[in-house]
Structure formats: C-alpha cells, structure tokens
C-alpha cells in the first residue's frame, strides 16, 4: 500500500501511470476528471497534478480539516488524499484567478475576469 508521500510524489512526476492508478482506485472519479481535463485540453494526470497544486495553495481550513479527518480513518491514505484533492478541484467554485490559464481566460495583460 503506497503512503501519502508516495502518492503525492507519484502524482507530481507521473503521467500515464497516475491516470491508470486513478482508474483502478476510483473509476467514477477518473471519468469525471477525464471529462474536466478534456474541457481544458490537458491529460488526466495533468488535471490531478493541477488539483494537488490548487488544493495545496487554495483549500480553506475546513477543506484541510475534512481531508485530515478522512486520512485518519483511511486504510489507504494515498488514495484518499488524491481522490479528495481531485474531487475538491472538480467541485470547487470556479475561481478564474486561480485556475490554469486556459481555464482562467487570462488576457495578454495578465488580468482576469
């Protein structure tokens, strides 16, 4: 069973392997992530890496508390963590300033709307 650190490290450096792992561990979430990734023109693994980065930078105190609670009770903290971060990204209210540039609609002048 991979540790949380193993999973996060794999998410940061992996491509096809992460996508396959997500499909095996949570097919429904993998499907949702694939659809979201396709909408913005990136891979599922890219979407997962984006979700991790966004969660790390932008998640609120309540989101972190929910994640930590889930990790405490989990038999597989790596899966729980990655799934929670991807789910958070899929359900987070749209914030154009904190998404990737294609999704955000950032203009050449660096502004957003």
């Amino acid at each position: 069973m991979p540790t949380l650190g193993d999973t996060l490290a794999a998410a940061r450096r992996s491509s096809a392997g992460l996508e396959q792992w997500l499909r095996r561990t949570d097919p429904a979430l993998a499907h949702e992530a694939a659809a979201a990734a396709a909408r913005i023109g990136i891979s599922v693994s890219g979407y997962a890496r984006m979700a991790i980065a966004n969660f790390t930078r932008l998640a609120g105190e309540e989101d972190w508390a929910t994640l930590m609670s889930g990790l405490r009770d989990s038999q597989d903290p790596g899966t729980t963590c990655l799934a929670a971060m991807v789910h958070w990204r899929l359900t987070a209210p749209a914030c154009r300033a904190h998404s990737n540039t294609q999704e955000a609609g950032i203009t050449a002048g660096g502004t957003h709307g």
Side-chain angles (χ1 to χ4, degrees):
M1 170 180 356
T3 66
L4 174 59
D6 295 337
T7 300
L8 292 176
R12 288 186 188 103
R13 68 177 182 272
S14 169
S15 57
L18 179 62
E19 186 173 348
Q20 292 168 0
W21 177 79
L22 189 57
R23 279 190 200 141
R24 277 192 319 271
T25 58
D26 194 334
L29 185 62
H31 179 73
E32 288 181 59
R39 281 193 298 275
I40 58 175
I42 62 175
S43 67
V44 173
S45 59
Y47 190 85
R49 286 191 300 272
M50 182 179 73
I52 292 166
N54 287 169
F55 189 94
T56 301
R57 289 181 307 128
L58 304 171
E61 198 173 303
E62 188 174 313
D63 299 314
W64 279 101
T66 299
L67 174 62
M68 298 326 269
S69 178
L71 292 174
R72 182 189 63 228
D73 300 330
S74 177
Q75 294 293 324
D76 184 354
T79 300
T80 299
C81 182
L82 182 58
M85 290 179 173
V86 170
H87 182 266
W88 176 87
R89 180 68 206 138
L90 287 166
T91 60
C95 178
R96 295 171 152 239
H98 296 106
S99 300
N100 79 14
T101 56
Q102 287 178 326
E103 189 177 25
I106 293 177
T107 66
T111 60
H112 58 276

